[in-house]
Amino acid sequence: MNMQLSRRTFTTAAAALAASALLPLSASAQSLADLKKKGKITIGMLVDFPPYGILNTSNQPDGYDADVAKLLAKEWGVTADIVPVTGPNRIPFLLTNKVDMLIASLAITPERAKQVLFSKPYSAASIVLFGNTKTAIKGPENLKGLRVGVARASTQDVAVTKVAPEGTQIRRFDDDASAMQALLSGQVDAIGCSITVAAQIAKRAPAGQFESKFQLLQQNMAVALRPGQDEVTNAVNDFIARNTANGELNKLYQKWLGADLPKLD
């Protein structure tokens, strides 16, 4: 009996130890003071989502998101250490402590809000179904039998999957650049993408070859932080509110997108 009890106790203890190893979040809670003491903020950012995130001619992260990250770091008196991430791995990078926060064109969705803390919106983009002008698409009902590309695990992936009728061939790619190339090379008939990606395609293709078919959604994008980062999230919200009111975010949006920052709710 004692031996069985000991085995049970050992097994229970081992299980508890294993479970604790899967819970890095509670041990990684940071305060604003922690970040300032460290002297830098490690920020995850997409670099394949122009003009929000790109690599410049020096192969360094650039774009609207990069400028927002640098402005935030400057206000906090630290440096911005920008780490390139992809659509599928950006939340895992945050939750496994590889980055302190995401300024990565991450749209606010109920599903994502179960995993991360979202700040107030700092940007917005329209998501459209973009395809060849010769392909007749007026609405989701016309997608049946067509090949539609999306970046895997992206907001457009969710939006297309939600409206596409049975029989639509949804083809998922690692990122927007791959989906764009698939459209340009004729591997898909249309893709779900932001209006900025659509503009990039239009520049690369012969005039009039592609067009926006219909809007899938208007998405607001926010800074993402780990659960438990309430103090840092509040500080980010203060930064967004202040720089929305003083016009700094609008200046950056005009710089990169050539338009005023949309009204953000």
Side-chain angles (χ1 to χ4, degrees), residues 187-200:
Q187 296 176 53
V188 295
D189 302 299
I191 64 172
C193 65
S194 71
I195 56 172
T196 52
V197 170
Q200 292 295 316

Side-chain angles (χ1 to χ4, degrees), residues 15-33:
L17 182 61
S20 66
L22 299 175
L23 297 173
L25 300 183
S26 61
S28 64
Q30 294 169 305
S31 66
L32 185 57

Side-chain angles (χ1 to χ4, degrees), residues 26-182:
S26 61
S28 64
Q30 294 169 305
S31 66
L32 185 57
D34 291 332
L35 292 174
K36 290 184 176 181
K37 183 178 180 180
K38 188 172 67 168
K40 68 177 181 179
I41 315 172
T42 305
I43 300 171
M45 192 191 93
L46 297 179
V47 293
D48 63 345
F49 192 51
Y52 296 92
I54 61 172
L55 289 174
N56 61 23
T57 54
S58 300
N59 209 37
Q60 295 299 309
D62 208 353
Y64 177 77
D65 282 351
D67 278 357
V68 172
K70 292 170 186 175
L71 180 61
L72 174 64
K74 181 180 179 181
E75 285 204 4
W76 287 2
V78 297
T79 58
D81 178 18
I82 298 175
V83 175
V85 296
T86 66
N89 77 17
R90 52 190 165 176
I91 289 179
F93 261 51
L94 176 66
L95 297 182
T96 56
N97 310 319
K98 290 182 174 68
V99 296
D100 298 316
M101 65 179 66
L102 296 173
I103 303 181
S105 301
L106 192 66
I108 303 170
T109 68
E111 294 77 14
R112 288 171 176 167
K114 295 175 183 177
Q115 297 179 280
V116 304
L117 284 180
F118 278 119
S119 71
K120 295 177 180 178
Y122 73 96
S123 186
S126 292
I127 301 299
V128 298
L129 199 289
F130 195 72
N132 197 297
T133 53
K134 296 180 180 179
T135 305
I137 304 173
K138 294 183 178 181
E141 66 278 4
N142 301 129
L143 298 180
K144 184 176 181 179
L146 296 182
R147 303 161 300 168
V148 180
V150 291
R152 185 181 294 107
S154 64
T155 305
Q156 51 268 33
D157 186 352
V158 176
V160 169
T161 301
K162 183 178 180 179
V163 302
E166 185 176 352
T168 304
Q169 301 175 47
I170 301 177
R171 300 191 176 178
R172 294 176 172 85
F173 299 89
D174 288 338
D175 48 42
D176 282 299
S178 300
M180 179 193 304
Q181 187 57 43

Side-chain angles (χ1 to χ4, degrees), residues 1-12:
M1 181 69 70
N2 290 339
M3 183 177 293
Q4 290 178 347
L5 181 60
S6 297
R7 287 175 178 171
R8 289 176 183 172
T9 302
F10 176 79
T11 301
T12 301

